[in-house]
Amino acid sequence: MEIITKVFSSHSSDRGNLTAIEGENEIAFPIKRVYYLYGLSHDLRRGFHAHKRLEQYLICIYGSCSVLLDDGKERASVKLDRPNVGLYVGPGIWHEMFEFSKDAVLLVLASDRYSEEDYIRDYCSFLDYVQGA
Ligand code: TYD
């Protein structure tokens, strides 16, 4: 499985750092939705789903967390602990987020608005979906 991470450039100076991300520029898709997770627990996992069409970049803009990616054949885990690094999660990838630091803020840039229709929330259905694809 190909793991796609992207380092977004930062404007850094003695005044601090600024990272800008433009849809259809730094990332390929137009950004139609932004959401973020915070107030998370180290012991609880989130996600447990795949998308049929949605593309996303996950950026841990504060603290750290890990992301499990599963394409139905292989699994890989990626630790996110830098505010200027994005992890691409495309369609047909089962993902789980875990080991959140207490202060973690996970920002997600998504290619479309929220649609429950686009979710596969059952792991067996996910395997059927990717194996039939
Ligand atoms: P959920 O998909 O269960 O979160 P996670 O997979 O990270 O554990 O989403 C939690 C709730 O938030 C659920 O009721 C759906 C809702 N939600 C929205 O309304 N809009 C969104 O953009 C997202 C991602 C979730």
Side-chain angles (χ1 to χ4, degrees):
M1 181 185 1
E2 193 189 3
I3 308 286
I4 301 171
T5 55
K6 184 141 193 165
V7 180
F8 303 111
S9 58
S10 298
H11 302 268
S12 300
S13 70
D14 53 8
R15 298 186 299 141
N17 309 296
L18 186 156
T19 299
I21 303 166
E22 295 186 359
E24 298 178 282
N25 193 357
E26 276 80 15
I27 60 174
F29 55 79
I31 298 163
K32 288 208 184 156
R33 176 166 49 113
V34 174
Y35 63 93
Y36 43 95
L37 290 82
Y38 58 98
L40 300 151
S41 167
H42 189 268
D43 302 327
L44 290 180
R45 295 170 87 94
R46 303 219 36 163
F48 294 96
H49 62 252
H51 289 282
K52 296 174 191 166
R53 285 174 297 277
L54 192 71
E55 296 181 84
Q56 304 190 100
Y57 264 94
L58 275 55
I59 307 164
C60 196
I61 55 169
Y62 200 84
S64 64
C65 71
S66 293
V67 184
L68 168 83
L69 302 173
D70 178 341
D71 65 2
K73 295 191 202 99
E74 290 177 79
R75 297 188 140 208
S77 289
V78 180
K79 183 163 185 175
L80 297 177
D81 58 3
R82 289 168 62 198
N84 64 331
V85 172
L87 172 67
Y88 178 73
V89 181
I93 301 291
W94 184 267
H95 51 285
E96 299 171 18
M97 294 79 87
F98 61 103
E99 285 177 357
F100 294 99
S101 63
K102 204 172 172 223
D103 53 1
V105 181
L106 181 64
L107 178 74
V108 184
L109 309 176
S111 65
D112 210 346
R113 295 188 180 88
Y114 176 76
S115 166
E116 192 57 38
E117 304 279 287
D118 190 63
Y119 279 74
I120 306 167
R121 292 193 184 270
D122 173 70
Y123 189 73
C124 290
S125 305
F126 160 72
L127 289 179
D128 289 344
Y129 183 82
V130 290
Q131 284 161 8

